[in-house]
Amino acid sequence: MKIALMDSGIGLLAATAAVRRVRPDADLVLSLDPEGMPYGPRTPEDVAQRALAVAEAAAAHRPDALIIGCNTATVHALTVLRDHLEPGIPVIGTVPAIKPAAAGGTPFAIWATPATTGSPYQRGLIKDFAGGVPVTEVPCWGLAEAVEHGDETAIDAAVAAAAELTPDDVTTVVLGCTHYELVAERIRAAVQRPDRPPLVLHGSADAVAAQALRRIGEKPAPEALPDGTVTVLLNGREGVLPAAASVYTEGRLLRAITPAH
């Protein structure tokens, strides 16, 4: 089995690690766009065009499925990628976990990039899945970029700024950018109030990994031999994960996997 994942940068590490946990025997193809990162400030047309190039580079390695490990790319390019690659290669997008967060019925916040915060896309998800539940959209200025570069000081500053914008009565936070899942525990520590129940965080990585297996008719097998290989593509050229990946547990896990040849 071979599963490809794509993103502008290392935000795909969260979903990659989730795939690795459920199928350690799967070969992985990680297709990144360091020349185009970040996608947030780009126009929807530009994102779709760049995402298609990154996806086609991954598709050349003939994966069984392709995961878009990026919320922004999913918003602007999911339809385009499915039109180009399916049914030959199932394409799985990443959507903020608003529906499960709203199911609790208590106030929650959505941490997302400034470009996504307040967007028609996110507002549509809130309308469809969170009617009647208090929702606060929190723009996280600079957080994705700080995570991408492994800048500890900038991460702490961006998390603290977003926490200041998060109401005290929030019991759940939706991580609306895949980069944020790499610093989930820092977010939890910043938002948790001493007199409140334990904060619930909703990411997308585990759900995306499960959906990828469903789309190709496979089942989880976490006990399988961890003999899957990893291929890293940087704008279509084989390379290695950016150095910042080793800052995170998910990146260190992948550095231990044998490269494909």
Side-chain angles (χ1 to χ4, degrees):
M1 182 188 356
K2 182 183 290 184
I3 295 179
L5 299 97
M6 58 167 284
D7 188 7
S8 58
I10 62 173
L12 55 64
L13 290 178
T16 305
V19 172
R20 182 71 176 161
R21 285 193 294 271
V22 294
R23 288 304 298 253
D25 57 336
D27 293 332
L28 304 172
V29 178
L30 311 184
S31 189
L32 285 68
D33 183 13
E35 294 175 7
M37 199 277 164
Y39 280 171
R42 294 183 176 275
T43 66
E45 296 77 16
D46 192 17
V47 170
Q49 183 178 22
R50 298 199 69 90
L52 181 58
V54 174
E56 287 179 335
H61 288 254
R62 303 176 64 84
D64 298 299
L66 171 67
I67 293 171
I68 308 175
C70 172
N71 296 86
T72 301
T74 298
V75 171
H76 299 308
L78 178 59
T79 300
V80 172
L81 297 192
R82 283 181 168 165
D83 287 345
H84 277 76
L85 299 177
E86 292 189 345
I89 301 175
V91 179
I92 298 91
T94 299
V95 178
I98 292 173
K99 185 176 182 179
T106 57
F108 70 93
I110 306 169
W111 282 33
T113 64
T116 300
T117 301
S119 66
Y121 163 74
Q122 184 160 288
R123 291 282 168 86
L125 291 174
I126 293 170
K127 180 182 178 183
D128 291 344
F129 299 120
V133 180
V135 181
T136 301
E137 296 179 90
V138 177
C140 301
W141 296 94
L143 181 53
E145 292 81 359
V147 172
E148 178 68 23
H149 296 109
D151 187 332
E152 305 275 1
T153 301
I155 290 170
D156 288 342
V159 167
E164 284 293 321
L165 300 175
T166 304
D168 288 343
D169 63 349
V170 159
T171 60
T172 300
V173 172
V174 173
L175 303 177
C177 171
T178 55
H179 280 77
Y180 302 170
E181 297 192 47
L182 301 178
V183 291
E185 292 311 310
R186 295 194 197 198
I187 293 171
R188 186 191 306 278
V191 178
Q192 179 68 59
R193 309 293 189 242
D195 57 340
R196 306 292 296 173
L199 185 74
V200 177
L201 297 178
H202 281 284
S204 302
D206 290 336
V208 165
Q211 177 66 2
L213 294 185
R214 283 193 292 269
R215 288 291 305 275
I216 61 177
E218 293 283 354
K219 296 183 182 298
E223 73 287 350
L225 288 175
D227 56 2
T229 61
V230 61
T231 300
V232 177
L233 304 174
L234 306 176
N235 293 108
R237 299 178 295 275
E238 288 201 30
V240 297
L241 284 170
S246 62
V247 171
Y248 310 104
T249 302
E250 296 86 348
R252 292 192 294 272
L253 169 69
L254 293 177
R255 284 181 178 275
I257 302 176
T258 305
H261 296 290

